[in-house]
Every structure is written in structure tokens, then in C-alpha cells.
Amino acid sequence: MRSLYCGEVNESHIGQEVTLCGWVNKRRDLGAVIFLDVRDREGIVQVVFDPDLPDVLEKANTLRNEFCVQITGKVRPRPEGQVNKDMATGGIEVLGLSLNILNKSAPLPLDFNQENSEEQRLRYRYLDLRRPEMSERLKFRAKVTAAVRKSLEGQGFLDIETPILTAATPEGARDYLVPSRTHKGNFFALPQSPQLFKQLLMMSGMERYYQIVKCFRDEDLRADRQPEFTQIDIETSFMTADQVMAVTEKMIRELFIELLDVDLGEFPRMPYAEAMRRFGSDKPDLRNPLEIVDVADILKDVEFKVFSGPANDDNGRVAVICVPNGAASFSRKNIDDLTKFVGIYGAKGMPWLKVNDIDAGLEGLQSPILKFLSEEAVAALLERTNAKTGDIIFFGADTYTTVSEALGALRLKLGEDLGITSDEWKPLWVVDFPMFEEVDGHMHALHHPFTAPSNATPEELEANPIGALSDAYDMVLNGCELGGGSVRIHDKPMQSAVFRILGISDEEAQEKFGFLLDALQYGAPPHAGLAFGLDRLVMLMTGASSIRDVMAFPKTTTAACPLTNAPGQANEAQLVELGIAKLPKEK
């Protein structure tokens, strides 16, 4: 139906007759002449209809935005002074010789010239995706997946599919369940990741596996989270953590060079403990120069219990952020607003101190808590933070977790509000994660239960689980976790020990993971892997603000689809066939 795309017409086609298919992006009627901007996937070209062909001109007069058309015409240079340097096709135009209206468009429910609500955009997603901004993102996503496949297949990886209907695995979120018709009362779970299957593939001798795969997690949504998302899933045999990190870092660096002409350079490495200490996050944004500074040792003997309590508690933390030249920037109202902000993360308050004149001693300082601090403590505090005249210091004092989360979030907000977060690319690896964390007296795996510890025997691990480090690694870019992975457990005694630490009895482990424990007994090789979030990667690379803008048909923040009205009701016959009874509605 077409000879080439609209966006491909250029000066080399001058004098040629072309046939184009697409949508009317804009129509301008100058009476004797009608101009159309015709759009397809590859771009926009200007088409002109003039009085020399009155029948064609009359038909062009009926066109409106988003009519689907086929046009045959002759390419010619634009007249002197009418070249549009902002358009790829701005040096030429097409003189329309014939016009075929393939389909008319009803009045549009979306206005392409202004902001539409996200509900409207998702309800009419097929129209929203026609916008060049959206289509360019999906085209870019396709280039990313093609480049990933090229890189991994060039390194000997095999693309192998794993099941979607499977058994539940402990990945940290709720499962999406699918009832079985043939096994009434039983359910499949949609995979939160292909974790166990890719490990079994290593035990099958595949050695290098990858898959661009759908995963499903029933959890609260946000800008970088969806109920169904796509992973670049990678698993290897006979490779160390360093080797896996080298392979995947090479892939990401090549991706950025090929598609963005950006060289990320070698990725630095940072232990988890350092990331939490300096940035309050295990995915620190290194573009922001602000850092968290611990001051518990300075304040443990002050009379102010807000500081001395956490400072003398093994699970407490007292830390500060010093904002250069911030004293004049923050009014009392600004500080009150920031105090409310950190309250979201559990902070009960946020003491502050303004350094109006560093050379004037205590007289040059301003703070409601100054009277509770000794001169020696204040001097040590100013020295520790390298504070200067005009700076402001914000305090956090509570449990280690609360202070880290609150000041970590405050650091990011200050970086954005003050405009001090750069627009560079700042990647890094975060390594040496704790193996476990204790929550309400129960042990939880920080990554997942199949992660191997670093240099520990099963006996040593069970004797001191909270002190163990895992052989895990996360790739972080600009404060966003692109992917995470680990060396996996490849022998039964260690896997059984981890299950016991997590409160999974030997009997329960055999019931839920018997197939894995059995496979570990038959010469399972050492193996390791990593999974990238494809949606997050594309979101970062395209500068989108949400992964919903790089997915063709995403869900809303309530995990609904306005386009198809999913999820929907099942009829009574379907429920009977599946052996499911509905609970009565609550009054």
C-alpha cells in the first residue's frame, strides 16, 4: 500500500512519485491550497493539495485530524523561506496527486495538544500511542531488546522459555493465582521471576541462559512498579560473581554507547554498609553531592535525650546532612514542610542548626536545640560536617533504619529542590549485602532464599545468620536499581540450612521445594545470575517519568486496565467449573 514511510522522505526523493500511508496529524486550509501533516510510525511529512486537481482538493477538504489516509504524490523541494529545520523532512514536501481515505475518525476523546489525564490516556491507549513521543519510546524499547539479544547471544547465551503457570515461590510479594479446572481447589501461581527454573536449567547443563520474560507481582504500585513487568533474565554456570558482573556491565555499557552514544565508563563498587551509611539507601544516586554523616559519638553524652537515647542504643543512629549555603534558603515554613516530609518515613521530628557566622562561635549559630548542646559537642559537630558560614544542618535521631530511610529520602528531595543533582550518568555496583534481616523477630532473606553466603559453611551460617554477608550484587544507575543478582546455593546442606534459618522446616521445604533439593544432589554446578528490569532500563534511557510510559498497555496504580475493563467478573458457570465459591459481599 505504501512505497516508503512518511519520515523517510528526503531530498534524494525529489522528482519521484511516492505513496504514503498514515494519519492526518494537522490540516491547514488556505482556501486555494490545503496543507496536511501526515504522520506514521517513522515521522511526519508535509503534503500539499492545490487547485490543479480540483477533485482531489475537494476530497482533501473533508479531512480531519486522525483520518487514516493513503496519498500518492510527487516529492519536491519546499519553496525558499519555507524550509522547516526542526523537521527531519523539513526540506521537502509532497504534492498530492491522489487521495484515498482509508478510514474516517470520530471526534477524538484525547486532545493531543494538551495534557490528558492518565485514566483517559490508558482508556484510549491506542490513540495515546499514536503520539510521536510515545511511539518513539516503544521503538527505542524494541532497539534495547534487540541489542540485548545480540550482546548475549554473541557471548554464547541461549534464549530458553520457562513456564508461566507454576508453583508459588517466596520472592517477597503476593502471588497472582490461577485456579485449576482439572485439579479443583488447587492453584497455579504466575511467576514473580523464573528463579527456580533458571537454576534448574543450570543443573541441566545449559550453562548460559537468558530470557526476556514477563513476571508478575501483586504489590502496591508506584512510578517504577507494575503488576506485570519484563525482566532481562540471565543465569550462568561456572562463573564467579565478578565474572557475571563483568559480562552484564559490558552489555549495559555497549547498550548505552550504541543507542545513546554515552560511555558509562567502568562501574565503581560500593559495599551495602557504606551505601547505607553515606546515602541512606542501597541504591544511592551519586549525582547528588549531599551525604549523610554519623555523629552519634559526638552527641552520646548530651543532655538532649532525643540525641543521647539513640546515640547509646546499638540499634539507634544519630546522623546529619549539611546543606552548603542552605541557611538563607530555608524559612521556618520550609523547615516545617521538610519535617512533615521525613515524617512519612517514620521520623518523629527534624532538629536543625543554621551556621550564620562560623567565626562567631555559638553566637553565630541559630537553632532551637542549641541550648541543649555543649560548646565542645557543637565544635566537634561543625568540624565533622565541615560546615561553613551560610550552611544548614539537618538532624536525624531514631532507629538505624528510620534515620537511614528518612535522611536518605530528604537527601534526594533536597538535591531536586535545590537543583544540585547533576544530569550526568552515575552507575555503580552495590555489593556485600547482608544475607538476612530480622523483622519482628523473624528472619528474612534480603535478596531471596536461594542466594549463597560469602565464605560461610552451613554450620557457621546457622550459628550467626544476622552477621553473614551474601554473595549478591545490584547494578544501580542514577538512584534506580537496574538489576540485581547473586551467586546461587548449589548444594543441599547449605540450601536446607537457609530454609531452617528462615523458619521453613525440613518437611515444609521438601513439600514446597523438594524438586530443587533433589536436583541439588545430582552434581549441580556452581552457578550465578542477574535479572534486569527492562521497563526501568528503558524508562531511564528515554527520560520518561514512569515505566507506564514505556509499556504498550500498562495498568493503573490500582492494577486495573481502563482499556479492557480488567479485572472483570467471572460468570457463575465458570466459577462452578473451577470449583470456586464467591464470598458474600460485606455489608
Side-chain angles (χ1 to χ4, degrees):
M1 293 184 71
R2 60 154 63 99
S3 60
L4 75 167
Y5 286 106
C6 295
E8 294 175 342
V9 186
N10 57 47
E11 283 80 355
S12 69
H13 299 106
I14 289 174
Q16 296 181 24
E17 191 171 287
V18 298
T19 299
L20 309 172
C21 292
W23 290 266
V24 176
N25 193 68
K26 186 188 294 183
R27 174 180 169 274
R28 300 184 301 282
D29 188 346
L30 303 185
V33 179
I34 292 176
F35 290 90
L36 296 182
D37 284 349
V38 182
R39 183 195 71 244
D40 63 16
R41 192 188 75 181
E42 298 302 324
I44 296 175
V45 69
Q46 178 172 283
V47 179
V48 183
F49 296 96
D50 65 24
D52 289 346
L53 296 171
D55 291 345
V56 179
L57 182 66
E58 184 179 352
K59 185 182 286 189
N61 192 46
T62 67
L63 296 175
R64 297 294 181 268
N65 285 1
E66 299 309 308
F67 273 38
C68 187
V69 296
Q70 180 189 45
I71 295 170
T72 297
K74 183 169 288 189
V75 182
R76 67 185 187 185
R78 289 202 188 188
E80 191 74 28
Q82 295 184 23
V83 172
N84 186 344
K85 295 181 179 179
D86 295 330
M87 286 179 64
T89 61
I92 55 88
E93 62 187 15
V94 177
L95 176 62
L97 302 177
S98 69
L99 169 63
N100 181 16
I101 299 176
L102 301 174
N103 208 339
K104 296 180 180 181
S105 173
L108 296 174
L110 296 182
D111 187 340
F112 288 179
N113 296 315
Q114 57 180 287
E115 292 292 321
N116 298 283
S117 71
E118 186 169 63
E119 184 78 14
Q120 282 291 95
R121 290 177 58 203
L122 296 182
R123 169 68 180 84
Y124 299 99
R125 189 62 162 183
Y126 45 86
L127 294 178
D128 188 46
L129 292 177
R130 290 184 191 174
R131 294 191 296 126
E133 179 184 25
M134 294 300 295
S135 62
E136 285 300 318
R137 287 173 180 160
L138 291 189
K139 285 162 59 181
F140 187 89
R141 181 182 176 121
K143 292 177 182 177
V144 170
T145 58
V148 165
R149 291 186 187 279
K150 178 182 175 183
S151 176
L152 292 176
E153 288 170 8
Q155 298 180 74
F157 284 83
L158 304 176
D159 180 2
I160 304 175
E161 292 184 351
T162 53
I164 294 296
L165 296 176
T166 182
T169 56
E171 297 277 348
R174 296 183 189 89
D175 290 306
Y176 278 101
L177 300 178
V178 179
S180 170
R181 177 184 60 81
T182 52
H183 301 277
K184 286 185 172 58
N186 293 310
F187 296 82
F188 295 104
L190 301 183
Q192 295 187 35
S193 83
Q195 183 61 46
L196 295 181
F197 287 107
K198 63 186 178 184
Q199 289 189 241
L200 291 171
L201 286 170
M202 296 304 100
M203 299 169 199
S204 305
M206 295 298 103
E207 296 209 12
R208 294 194 176 194
Y209 141 96
Y210 87 96
Q211 187 181 187
I212 297 177
V213 61
K214 279 287 188 184
C215 302
F216 307 85
R217 296 186 182 183
D218 184 4
E219 55 190 351
D220 294 335
L221 305 185
R222 56 192 186 202
D224 63 349
R225 186 182 282 173
Q226 278 277 293
E228 52 179 311
F229 56 96
T230 306
Q231 281 188 182
I232 304 169
D233 210 46
I234 299 168
E235 198 77 7
T236 68
S237 296
F238 307 113
M239 290 181 72
T240 64
D242 287 341
Q243 290 171 321
V244 172
M245 292 163 74
V247 165
T248 52
E249 180 179 319
K250 177 176 182 290
M251 182 187 78
I252 294 297
R253 287 185 63 183
E254 289 175 347
L255 195 64
F256 270 73
I257 290 172
E258 178 180 345
L259 299 183
L260 296 181
D261 195 26
V262 170
D263 187 351
L264 296 175
E266 290 192 17
F267 293 12
R269 297 189 184 187
M270 183 181 295
Y272 169 89
E274 180 183 345
M276 296 302 295
R277 175 173 55 82
R278 293 173 58 192
F279 306 107
S281 171
D282 60 359
K283 50 181 181 181
D285 189 344
L286 300 185
R287 300 172 301 164
N288 182 334
L290 299 178
E291 293 196 19
I292 300 170
V293 178
D294 283 302
V295 294
D297 58 318
I298 295 173
L299 300 174
K300 64 180 181 180
D301 296 324
V302 299
E303 295 180 7
F304 194 39
K305 297 298 183 185
V306 170
F307 288 162
S308 60
N312 289 282
D313 186 339
D314 290 340
N315 295 316
R317 185 178 191 187
V318 184
V320 300
I321 292 178
C322 180
V323 183
N325 303 312
S329 303
F330 294 96
S331 66
R332 187 55 189 265
K333 181 182 185 307
N334 297 144
I335 294 173
D336 288 345
D337 289 342
L338 290 176
T339 302
K340 292 177 183 177
F341 173 78
V342 296
I344 298 171
Y345 300 89
K348 300 178 183 67
M350 191 181 67
W352 52 273
L353 186 153
K354 288 186 177 183
V355 184
N356 296 323
D357 184 353
I358 193 74
D359 297 322
L362 292 179
E363 295 299 319
L365 306 178
Q366 177 187 354
S367 172
I369 61 167
L370 199 57
K371 59 188 175 182
F372 300 113
L373 306 180
S374 67
E375 190 170 348
E376 294 77 16
V378 171
L381 181 68
L382 296 177
E383 181 180 0
R384 176 75 56 85
T385 58
N386 196 29
K388 296 178 175 58
T389 296
D391 294 354
I392 186 171
I393 298 171
F394 293 112
F395 293 79
D398 209 302
T399 65
Y400 191 92
T401 299
T402 297
V403 171
S404 298
E405 291 183 356
L407 290 188
L410 176 65
R411 172 182 173 270
L412 295 178
K413 180 171 176 56
L414 291 172
E416 183 177 338
D417 291 351
L418 298 174
I420 58 176
T421 299
S422 73
D423 58 0
E424 305 171 85
W425 294 102
K426 288 287 188 177
L428 81 155
W429 287 103
V430 178
V431 297
D432 298 335
F433 285 83
M435 184 82 176
F436 303 100
E437 60 180 346
E438 190 170 357
V439 180
D440 298 329
H442 299 285
M443 301 296 287
H444 297 267
L446 204 67
H447 268 68
H448 55 62
F450 316 107
T451 298
S454 297
N455 302 319
T457 65
E459 294 75 22
E460 290 169 339
L461 192 65
E462 289 196 80
N464 182 27
I466 204 66
L469 297 180
S470 65
D471 206 351
Y473 34 84
D474 281 0
M475 183 187 288
V476 177
L477 180 62
N478 292 2
C480 183
E481 181 192 328
L482 283 188
S486 66
V487 174
R488 321 303 190 188
I489 297 168
H490 71 281
D491 63 274
K492 185 176 180 179
M494 179 64 78
Q495 188 64 74
S496 297
V498 168
F499 284 153
R500 286 194 293 271
I501 291 168
L502 296 174
I504 301 173
S505 67
D506 291 346
E507 295 76 17
E508 185 182 359
Q510 191 62 40
E511 178 186 346
K512 291 183 175 179
F513 307 107
F515 62 94
L516 176 68
L517 295 171
D518 290 345
L520 291 172
Q521 299 179 97
Y522 299 109
H527 55 286
L530 186 146
F532 289 101
L534 174 62
D535 312 294
R536 288 184 186 178
L537 176 61
V538 177
M539 177 185 74
L540 277 180
M541 295 182 77
T542 59
S545 59
S546 165
I547 64 171
R548 293 189 290 276
D549 282 338
V550 297
M551 302 171 79
F553 300 102
K555 306 292 189 294
T556 66
T557 53
T558 58
C561 176
L563 176 65
T564 62
N565 290 322
Q569 296 285 325
N571 63 46
E572 203 63 37
Q574 289 174 310
L575 295 177
V576 169
E577 190 174 36
L578 293 169
I580 294 176
K582 291 170 65 175
L583 292 172
K585 289 184 179 180
E586 294 183 7
K587 294 182 180 179

